[in-house]
Amino acid sequence: MSVDNWIQIAGMIVTGLFSFLVWQATIKSNKLSKENFEFVKEIRKIEKDIHNERELRFRRTYCHWTDKRINAMLLALVYQLGDRSEKEELIKEIPREVGLSKETMAKYFTIHEQVTIQQIYEAYNDFLKKHWLMDEINFYDAGVGDYKEAAEYLYELVAELKSTLKFSLYENAPMEELMGDVEWRP
């Protein structure tokens, strides 16, 4: 055998050795890629869960916010039925709208909830216009007309509409579950 043959044999052995090493590196690289893919998938799942929990907390806040405002409205209407002097002040303090943007309402409330909340506030504003408001801003000193009868009817209507608002989060969560510690987001 000549030197050229030995050089060819050595070249083939070195090429085979490097091919084997590249093949082993490719196998390890594929294994690491699969593990990395699974890791990224798990991270995305955790991020999605965190986002969903955050959105659920905002929904809880807005449901609780709306429920408190409707309850204050009902309390003011109950005071309208009696002869207590606080009724004038209470009726003035009740907000005339839900206080949330249309985008927030659309994002965090179902269509049924949005419609019901809107109906409650429309009925309340009609009551105010007929029995308490001189114009858009100024109130009468006392209710005008048959405001007690109208307040009683409105109370029953709002209470009935509110009872249809279950404010479900997942399935039918009661309001007690909605009252967690959450931050306000306008």
Side-chain angles (χ1 to χ4, degrees):
M1 264 193 351
S2 71
V3 176
D4 288 339
N5 289 343
W6 283 108
I7 291 175
Q8 287 178 349
I9 290 173
M12 288 179 7
I13 290 174
V14 169
T15 302
L17 179 64
F18 282 126
S19 295
F20 176 76
L21 291 175
V22 168
W23 175 67
Q24 287 294 325
T26 303
I27 289 174
K28 288 181 181 178
S29 176
N30 285 342
K31 183 179 177 186
L32 288 174
S33 293
K34 287 179 184 176
E35 289 174 2
N36 191 30
F37 175 75
E38 293 300 320
F39 182 67
V40 167
K41 204 164 101 175
E42 187 66 28
I43 287 174
R44 286 193 177 139
K45 182 185 178 297
I46 290 169
E47 286 175 345
K48 184 179 177 187
D49 290 346
I50 289 170
H51 175 75
N52 289 344
E53 176 62 28
R54 185 171 159 241
E55 292 301 309
L56 179 63
R57 290 171 61 89
F58 285 130
R59 172 157 167 76
R60 285 179 179 165
T61 300
Y62 297 134
C63 288
H64 183 61
W65 164 268
T66 304
D67 189 61
K68 281 178 63 174
R69 290 173 84 114
I70 293 172
N71 284 340
M73 182 188 301
L74 288 170
L75 179 65
L77 291 171
V78 166
Y79 273 76
Q80 298 303 301
L81 303 176
D83 293 325
R84 299 178 70 165
S85 61
E86 298 94 356
K87 67 182 167 188
E88 290 85 10
E89 292 305 315
L90 271 176
I91 204 75
K92 293 175 185 177
E93 292 175 5
I94 303 302
R96 290 186 248 168
E97 56 187 35
V98 71
L100 300 173
S101 70
K102 290 179 183 178
E103 294 81 18
T104 301
M105 291 290 291
K107 186 173 182 178
Y108 294 104
F109 292 91
T110 65
I111 292 173
H112 166 72
E113 291 168 343
Q114 292 176 53
V115 168
T116 303
I117 292 166
Q118 191 64 34
Q119 288 173 334
I120 289 171
Y121 277 94
E122 285 175 5
Y124 180 69
N125 283 318
D126 288 344
F127 169 76
L128 287 180
K129 287 175 188 172
K130 289 178 185 173
H131 302 287
W132 280 97
L133 288 173
M134 288 188 270
D135 52 38
E136 289 295 317
I137 301 171
N138 299 312
F139 283 81
Y140 291 114
D141 291 333
V144 175
D146 57 348
Y147 75 93
K148 286 186 178 185
E149 185 178 309
E152 184 176 5
Y153 170 75
L154 181 60
Y155 175 84
E156 291 171 6
L157 177 67
V158 170
E160 180 64 32
L161 287 171
K162 184 181 180 280
S163 72
T164 67
L165 288 175
K166 301 251 186 291
F167 287 135
S168 62
L169 298 174
Y170 295 125
E171 299 162 10
N172 285 323
M175 277 307 295
E176 292 78 36
E177 289 183 26
L178 302 176
M179 296 181 191
D181 290 332
V182 287
E183 294 178 17
W184 171 250
R185 182 174 98 179

